[in-house]
Every structure is written in C-alpha cells, then in structure tokens.
C-alpha cells in the first residue's frame, strides 16, 4: 500500500484548458500581483561557497497566474551596496507584513525564522519584470520588488490592533452587565 491519496480537483482546475506541465505562464513586464511566502533560505547551500538568501512565494491573486510559484533571490550578500539595500528593503516589507517578528523581536534572518514567522503570514504585492535570454530567446520572469498589502498586514508582534482592543473591551463590558444584579449570598453553598 502506497499511503498516497489524491486531492479533490477544484472547479478552477476542471475549467483549465492548458496542461499541468509545471511551467509557469509568463507574467507581463510591470504586472503587480498578490502573493504569500511559502518558504525561504538564508545561509550557505550545500556544494556552494557563497552565502545566499532567497524567499519562495506563491501567487494568491485569483486568475490565470494563481498558484504559480516563484523564488526571490535577495541579494543581501552582494558586493553592490545598492543591491544589498534594495534586498533589505524588500525583506523588511515581508517582516512588516508578518507583524515585524524579526525586526521588533530582534531575531536574526535565518532559515528557521523565515519558516517560523513569515511562511503563511507574510502576504505582499509583487511587481514582476521580464527579460529575454540572449542565448535562446526564452522569456524569464523576475521579481522587481515587494510592496505592502495593508489589508493583509498583521498587527505588530506583541501588540493588538485597536479593533481587537475595542472588541475585547466591549466583551468585558457585556460580561460585567450580565453578571451584575445577580449577587451571590456568601452563606449559600455555590455548588463546589
């Protein structure tokens, strides 16, 4: 027995006319889509001599590019200071979207912290670029940068949004009203 089970096919998959060949559809230059972090790495990959940092994400905008997977190569170790600064700015967007767990929590940018704090929590906008390979003319998408997706931004770690605080205060007030007017006689057994 293999232990493998197939997932149910979604309506969107049933309506898809293309092939499930693992190839992403080419995203036009300058297109902005929503996405969510699915993984990442920061360190020295096995068999390589240089440190690298990359973020894996999947497109969450409904439509023809939905569920396509990409990797952002964050050039935090590049010799060019401009590329390093841009990479750190883009990674800061992801941290902000996830509620600032790394920057406010003073946690290092590690693979474990990316997996623990950003995966499934960091929703963002992604702006894509398109280049054409000189050798074979193949079109290749790349990430130009990340942008804030404020409607999906989590509250800072350890802090609650004003809406959450207001909802809790309202619940406490309702609880207090419910229990007022029914005093307990201290001489009575209360059932313990």
């Amino acid at each position: 027995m293999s232990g493998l089970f197939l997932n149910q096919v979604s309506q969107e998959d049933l309506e898809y006319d293309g092939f499930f060949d693992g190839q992403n559809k080419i995203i036009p230059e300058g297109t902005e889509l929503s996405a969510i972090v699915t993984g990442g790495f920061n360190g020295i990959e096995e068999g390589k001599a240089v440190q690298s940092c990359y973020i894996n994400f999947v497109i969450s905008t409904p439509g023809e590019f939905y569920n396509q997977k990409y990797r952002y190569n964050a050039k935090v170790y590049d010799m060019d200071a401009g590329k390093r600064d841009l990479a750190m700015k883009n990674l800061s967007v992801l941290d902000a979207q996830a509620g600032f767990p790394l920057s406010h929590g003073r946690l290092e940018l590690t693979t474990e912290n990316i997996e623990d704090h950003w995966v499934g929590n960091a929703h963002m906008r992604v702006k894509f670029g398109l280049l054409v390979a000189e050798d074979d003319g193949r079109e290749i998408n790349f990430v130009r940068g990340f942008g804030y997706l404020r409607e999906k931004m989590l509250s800072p770690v350890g802090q609650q949004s004003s809406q959450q605080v207001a909802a809790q205060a309202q619940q406490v007030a309702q609880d207090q009203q419910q229990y007022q007017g029914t005093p307990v006689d201290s001489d009575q057994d209360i059932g313990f």
Side-chain angles (χ1 to χ4, degrees), residues 140-160:
I140 303 167
N141 278 123
F142 66 95
V143 174
R144 287 207 177 272
F146 297 133
Y148 296 107
L149 189 60
R150 287 182 178 77
E151 63 270 14
K152 297 245 181 176
M153 187 179 284
L154 297 181
S155 298
V157 173
Q159 294 181 11
Q160 296 178 328

Side-chain angles (χ1 to χ4, degrees), residues 76-122:
V76 294
Y77 302 106
D78 200 281
M79 297 297 286
D80 182 339
K83 289 180 181 180
R84 284 194 313 267
D85 291 346
L86 183 60
M88 292 304 283
K89 191 68 103 173
N90 281 311
L91 295 176
S92 292
V93 168
L94 302 181
D95 194 50
Q97 287 294 139
F100 301 99
L102 274 57
S103 59
H104 286 113
R106 302 306 306 156
L107 300 174
E108 290 183 51
L109 179 63
T110 63
T111 301
E112 293 77 23
N113 285 335
I114 291 169
E115 297 288 332
D116 292 347
H117 300 286
W118 290 359
V119 170
N121 293 321

Side-chain angles (χ1 to χ4, degrees), residues 12-81:
E12 186 176 336
D13 282 349
L14 286 173
E15 294 171 4
Y16 180 62
D17 289 331
F19 294 94
F20 295 102
D21 58 3
Q23 299 296 313
N24 286 340
K25 292 181 180 178
I26 297 299
I27 298 174
E29 169 74 36
T31 300
E32 290 184 20
L33 298 168
S34 298
I36 187 167
V37 173
T38 59
F41 177 81
N42 187 32
I44 299 175
E45 294 181 89
E46 192 173 324
K48 295 189 178 179
V50 295
Q51 227 170 339
S52 62
C53 178
Y54 56 80
I55 303 297
N56 298 323
F57 63 92
V58 63
I59 302 300
S60 59
T61 303
E64 65 180 313
F65 306 119
Y66 179 75
N67 220 22
Q68 290 190 180
K69 295 167 180 62
Y70 291 92
R71 175 179 285 179
Y72 168 64
N73 182 15
K75 299 185 184 238
V76 294
Y77 302 106
D78 200 281
M79 297 297 286
D80 182 339

